[in-house]
Structure formats: C-alpha cells, structure tokens
Amino acid sequence: RRIECSRVAGRERVPAGIRALLREIYRGHCQICDFWFLKKDREPYFEVHHLVPAMGHHPKNLVAVCGNCHNQFEHARVQPEFDDEGWLVKVCFNEREFSVKNALAASRIQGFHKRLFIG
C-alpha cells in the first residue's frame, strides 16, 4: 500500500512523553539509516517526523529520524510504503530505498487505550 506523505508549514511539537518513549525505544538511532550521536549533554539526538501532519501524534504517524533523513522527508521525492496495518515499512528518497526499523510494529500493538480508575 502506498500513500503520499503530506507536508505543512511549521513544525508540530511532539509531547514530551512521546519523545521520551521514542528515545527509550530507539536510543537516538534513526529508524531509516541507523545514524545516531549523543549531544553535549550525553542525551541521544533525534528528530520526529510526522508522516501525515493532520494525523497528529499517533505512533503509526511518527518516525524517529536523524536530521538528514528528516530533511529528505521534507524536501526530497518521497515514496513511503506501509503494511496492511498502516505501519511504515519502506521509504524511497529519490529512488533510493530504505527499510524502516520499527519496534512498535514488530510488537504488534493493537491499539492504545487510556483507562481511568476512580477510587
């Protein structure tokens, strides 16, 4: 299944909890090219790309990437490929294909639910 990635002006701010989850899962490694580095404060550097900005912060819509891959998502000719469940599995930047490392899809998360317990 192929769809076009959408782009809008400006950047969406990713909630701190989601950034922390992505940092914990990927340890700063780009899901596309596996590049990573530590910032001066010893924290891993990564950027979060929204595949379709209108979808917001759903895990299927987010990719933890290095600055180079993020700029390719924003400015190159991009052809994403998704599995039957909507997870990004491959991406082509200007005819160059990359497999996407996706720990969340591999765990077969069925859905995210919030439970409220009133004591």
Side-chain angles (χ1 to χ4, degrees):
R1 181 170 86 140
R2 290 187 182 268
I3 66 167
E4 291 299 316
C5 287
S6 300
R7 202 166 91 85
V8 296
R11 300 258 184 226
E12 260 194 89
R13 189 107 176 118
V14 178
I18 293 174
R19 277 196 68 81
L21 176 68
L22 292 172
R23 182 180 54 244
E24 186 66 27
I25 292 170
Y26 297 109
R27 304 279 189 207
H29 288 252
C30 177
Q31 287 181 250
I32 308 301
C33 72
D34 202 37
F35 177 79
W36 68 278
F37 71 92
L38 296 177
K39 300 182 294 185
K40 291 177 184 178
D41 65 1
R42 310 285 297 151
E43 287 295 315
Y45 178 84
F46 66 96
E47 298 177 11
V48 180
H49 178 68
H50 291 79
L51 297 168
V52 180
M55 277 182 60
H57 306 304
H58 190 282
K60 289 181 181 179
N61 191 42
L62 302 176
V63 187
V65 292
C66 67
N68 187 49
C69 286
H70 198 191
N71 279 309
Q72 289 183 90
F73 269 114
E74 296 291 332
H75 303 289
R77 202 171 69 236
V78 180
Q79 294 176 293
E81 188 174 317
F82 299 85
D83 67 12
D84 292 336
E85 296 176 11
W87 293 98
L88 182 67
V89 292
K90 288 184 190 171
V91 65
C92 291
F93 299 129
N94 297 324
E95 313 303 322
R96 196 162 165 226
E97 186 175 286
F98 296 88
S99 293
V100 178
K101 296 146 195 83
N102 199 325
L104 293 173
S107 67
R108 295 292 177 216
I109 295 172
Q110 297 300 315
F112 290 88
H113 303 282
K114 187 174 187 177
R115 291 185 185 183
L116 179 62
F117 295 95
I118 300 174

